[in-house]
Amino acid sequence: MTSDVPAGGDREGTGPAPGVPLRRLLLALGDPLLEVAAAPEGLDVRVDNVLIVDPEDRTEVRGGDLVLLIGARGGSARRLVRLIAGQGASAVAVKTGAPTEGAPVRRPRVGGDDLAPLRAEAQEAGIALLVVRPEVRWDRLQSVCQGIVDDARLPDEGDAGEPDGDLFSMAQTIARLTGGLVSIEDSASRVLAYSSGAEVDELRRLSVLGRRGPESYLALLREWGVFARLRAGEEVVSVDEHPELGIRRRLAVGIHAGDRPLGAIWVQEGARPLSGHAEEALLGAARTVALQMIRQRTRASAGLRLREDLLSSLLEGRIDAAALADTVEVHSGRAALVAAFAPVGDEDGERADRSERELRRRRFLDLVSVHTAAYRRSALVTGLNGRVYALLPDLTRERDGVERSVVTLCGRIVEASRSALGLRVRAAVGSAVGRLADVPESRGEADRVLEAMRGDPAREVATIDDVRSRVLVRETLALLREEPSLRDPRVSRLVEYDRGGGTELVRSLSAYLEEFGDARAAAERLHVHPNTLRYRVRRAAQVSGIDLSDPGERLFTQLQLLMEQERPAEYPRSDSNRHL
């Protein structure tokens, strides 16, 4: 194997280069040119050199290398992955195929069958496996990655930089949740972002205009010990109203990264009192905003994006759970579950342009993040296929207790989205699982619950126990649709007769079967005379040839009539939702 001369230079001499964590390399790349397929040692393994390896030549691989493996497929790639891992490399990157000329470029399927053997080999060998997009040039990727590694060797100039632009969106979300006027400040009391609104007191007006609180007021806060309490921990501090100073009541919470204070979130009370959950919302917001303030804008946004991408990959089964082990952990004796949220009848969102839809999506993600971070510090939130998913780890093993507390949490999120964002959503709670590897099962169950809830518009939050029969019927009907041989041609004949003649036989027979043969109850539902209902049922039997005295025929007729009456679009299926 031969390669280009490593851009990292000579690694012999005074000692090995410190390297850069694989996580930081992925963050710096931004748009994922590399996607994680396996990470048995987590994402904090260190990379101190990047080289291209051709399997037909010979070259030496060393500890800390990220190896870009070109031209290897199938069994030869598996052998080389094991060999490279045995030589101490930190990670190996492969391509799964080349794009067809003129075809749209798609991201590689990390969970696809073509990668399954390589993933298993990497897991067993203990090396991170990365997948490279087909359109990416190897030499360009090597140059960019090596540049990131080399930059990491330069002296750290600190965290100076501008905070993430989404802070203004977050400030507006917090304002809706608390019912007040919000400002987000750094540790020097500089205003980074603020919400809009009227009823501004003199202090807020001066702070926004000057981008910093007036020195006289800052001195009072120091005298009152407010800053000391904000720096000390996660306590929500209340500052009383002082009309003589033109100051209304305020709540504040410190923003921290570990023991390091990053700033504070302030909420000014307007003409109305703050909401009853204002303190809880502030606590969750402080934990979420901390992620956006740790680094400069590009790095902060990339960090949030990586966390969301990793969670999305885990939920879709495209990544091994070990890749998130150093981001979120399910301890022995504890559990985790997935809660899913879906918008309901979002017609305004459909009419909005792309930027408006993205703003709405980001605000709803912020809202869910605030609530779930207050519930569990290590909660992860991501958007996927028009839904928002929250992974809630570190839960107690008592299933009923977990469900009650998470259902309550989801109820608050549903209510907050309606009152703060004007957005109707449904929430589904998946069952608790004991391992990160089983999290996709919890997500799949939450999806199934959401689909079943479409038939019950009044229900806003549910678990599988709440809608199990709906789930089973829905999925049984989906099987009937997919397999024509399971359909009774007599029922199909009745449906066609009804459509052609404009009669009400199907609707009448369905009501009769659903009422267990009670003609009076069925007639009352349809607002017809019982004799009319009886006539229609007899006529349906004559037209179709179905023997309604046979329990088996009655059961299957009811199922097939349900299938014929429901729109197929309401019953999408996915491979992750096939077992209960």
Side-chain angles (χ1 to χ4, degrees):
M1 297 184 289
T2 61
S3 75
D4 300 335
V5 176
D10 186 3
R11 285 181 287 174
E12 298 178 1
T14 58
V20 56
L22 180 58
R23 180 192 305 276
R24 182 172 171 185
L25 183 65
L26 295 171
L27 288 174
L29 283 172
D31 190 43
L33 303 176
L34 296 173
E35 191 167 78
V36 182
E41 304 299 327
L43 296 180
D44 286 331
V45 295
R46 304 190 77 82
V47 174
D48 62 18
N49 194 59
V50 185
L51 68 157
I52 298 175
V53 168
D54 187 328
E56 295 184 359
D57 299 310
R58 298 179 61 84
T59 194
E60 182 180 356
V61 175
R62 304 180 183 179
D65 281 342
L66 164 58
V67 177
L68 309 182
L69 185 57
I70 66 174
R73 297 289 186 273
S76 64
R78 293 180 60 186
R79 178 182 60 81
L80 286 169
V81 165
R82 179 166 291 278
L83 176 63
I84 289 167
Q87 293 175 339
S90 297
V92 59
V94 300
K95 287 186 180 181
T96 56
T100 303
E101 185 175 354
V105 174
R106 296 182 174 86
R107 294 174 69 171
R109 289 189 61 223
V110 173
D113 293 337
D114 53 341
L115 267 177
L118 272 182
R119 293 176 69 204
E121 197 73 45
Q123 282 291 128
E124 185 176 344
I127 188 172
L129 176 66
L130 309 175
V131 179
V132 183
R133 291 188 179 185
E135 71 273 19
V136 175
R137 289 178 49 183
W138 286 114
D139 57 346
R140 178 59 179 160
L141 180 62
Q142 192 265 351
S143 175
V144 172
C145 290
Q146 189 63 58
I148 295 169
V149 172
D150 292 342
D151 287 345
R153 296 191 176 105
L154 299 175
D156 189 0
E157 297 181 0
D159 291 339
E162 193 175 354
D164 192 281
D166 281 346
L167 286 180
F168 279 90
S169 171
M170 176 62 79
Q172 203 67 34
T173 298
I174 302 168
R176 289 189 175 95
L177 293 176
T178 60
L181 299 165
V182 174
S183 62
I184 301 174
E185 301 179 0
D186 65 12
S187 56
S189 298
R190 290 186 293 262
V191 177
L192 304 176
Y194 52 89
S195 65
S196 59
E199 301 171 350
V200 175
D201 65 11
E202 183 65 9
L203 169 61
R204 178 177 173 84
R205 187 182 69 83
L206 293 174
S207 298
V208 170
L209 289 176
R211 305 295 289 182
R212 191 174 190 271
E215 186 54 45
S216 58
Y217 177 66
L218 298 180
L220 282 176
L221 291 179
R222 285 190 287 268
E223 181 182 333
W224 296 337
V226 173
F227 284 136
R229 293 167 67 185
L230 293 177
R231 287 193 299 267
E234 292 187 317
E235 175 189 5
V236 177
V237 179
S238 178
V239 179
D240 293 336
E241 181 179 15
H242 291 273
E244 73 281 4
L245 300 175
I247 299 173
R248 294 185 178 181
R249 176 175 176 258
R250 277 168 166 72
L251 293 180
V253 65
I255 305 169
H256 298 267
D259 296 330
R260 177 184 173 187
L262 299 178
I265 302 175
W266 291 84
V267 180
Q268 176 214 303
E269 191 172 72
R272 298 180 181 179
L274 298 176
S275 71
H277 297 294
E279 293 194 9
E280 183 180 15
L282 271 181
L283 177 61
R287 294 173 178 175
T288 303
V289 169
L291 297 174
Q292 298 171 293
M293 293 178 61
I294 292 172
R295 295 285 182 183
Q296 58 201 16
R297 173 181 293 183
T298 53
R299 183 157 296 172
S301 60
L304 292 172
R305 189 165 60 247
L306 177 62
R307 285 164 61 90
E308 292 181 6
D309 286 348
L310 287 173
L311 178 56
S312 296
S313 296
L314 177 65
L315 295 179
E316 292 189 310
R318 296 187 291 111
I319 190 174
D320 290 306
L324 274 105
D326 48 9
T327 301
V328 58
E329 182 177 359
V330 178
H331 299 279
S332 177
R334 309 288 279 183
L337 62 77
V338 173
F341 304 87
V344 179
D346 188 16
E347 296 178 357
D348 291 338
E350 291 299 322
R351 288 194 296 264
D353 62 28
R354 182 176 179 181
S355 60
E356 289 175 325
R357 290 197 302 271
E358 176 60 23
L359 178 60
R360 182 182 293 237
R361 184 194 72 85
R362 187 71 252 176
R363 285 179 174 173
F364 184 55
L365 275 170
D366 288 344
L367 186 146
V368 175
S369 297
V370 166
H371 281 80
T372 54
Y375 181 78
R376 284 295 183 275
R377 176 186 295 276
S378 53
L380 293 177
V381 176
T382 190
L384 189 61
N385 299 328
R387 293 177 176 175
V388 171
Y389 296 91
L391 171 60
L392 303 173
D394 202 28
L395 304 175
T396 60
R397 278 292 199 170
E398 290 75 18
R399 179 173 178 270
D400 292 340
V402 167
E403 282 193 0
R404 281 196 299 270
S405 65
V406 177
V407 166
T408 300
L409 169 69
C410 290
R412 291 178 183 173
I413 292 173
V414 168
E415 174 58 33
S417 69
R418 180 166 48 239
S419 60
L421 303 180
L423 182 65
R424 289 184 58 219
V425 298
R426 293 192 184 105
V429 180
S431 292
V433 295
R435 303 182 307 149
L436 273 181
D438 296 330
V439 161
E441 295 182 12
S442 183
R443 179 259 174 132
E445 184 175 278
D447 279 336
R448 299 165 73 202
V449 172
L450 278 179
E451 295 298 336
M453 290 172 70
R454 295 188 183 195
D456 188 359
R459 191 182 294 275
E460 294 183 326
V461 183
T463 67
I464 187 68
D465 289 339
D466 297 323
V467 294
R468 192 181 299 274
S469 62
R470 286 183 179 274
V471 169
L472 294 174
V473 169
R474 169 186 164 272
E475 294 179 359
T476 299
L477 296 180
L479 288 173
L480 288 178
R481 284 193 187 87
E482 292 179 358
E483 187 51 66
S485 65
L486 294 178
R487 302 180 193 178
D488 188 333
R490 296 174 298 176
V491 178
S492 299
R493 185 187 313 139
L494 176 63
V495 172
E496 291 303 318
Y497 178 87
D498 231 21
R499 288 173 179 166
T503 54
E504 295 279 343
L505 301 185
V506 168
R507 184 163 171 255
S508 300
L509 180 57
S510 295
Y512 177 77
L513 294 172
E514 289 173 8
E515 294 293 344
F516 301 100
D518 187 333
R520 289 189 176 275
E524 186 175 345
R525 280 179 55 182
L526 299 178
H527 306 290
V528 299
H529 193 278
N531 288 340
T532 301
L533 189 284
R534 293 188 184 97
Y535 167 77
R536 289 178 179 177
V537 170
R538 288 195 300 271
R539 183 60 181 153
Q542 292 170 358
V543 168
S544 64
I546 297 169
D547 181 3
L548 294 177
S549 66
D550 185 305
E553 292 199 21
R554 289 199 306 270
L555 172 62
F556 201 84
T557 296
Q558 185 174 359
L559 281 174
Q560 190 166 336
L561 287 178
L562 281 172
M563 180 197 72
E564 296 286 356
Q565 292 177 86
E566 296 288 352
R567 291 180 300 162
E570 294 188 355
Y571 296 98
R573 290 175 57 81
S574 67
D575 291 338
S576 63
N577 298 341
R578 288 186 181 269
H579 55 278
L580 190 63

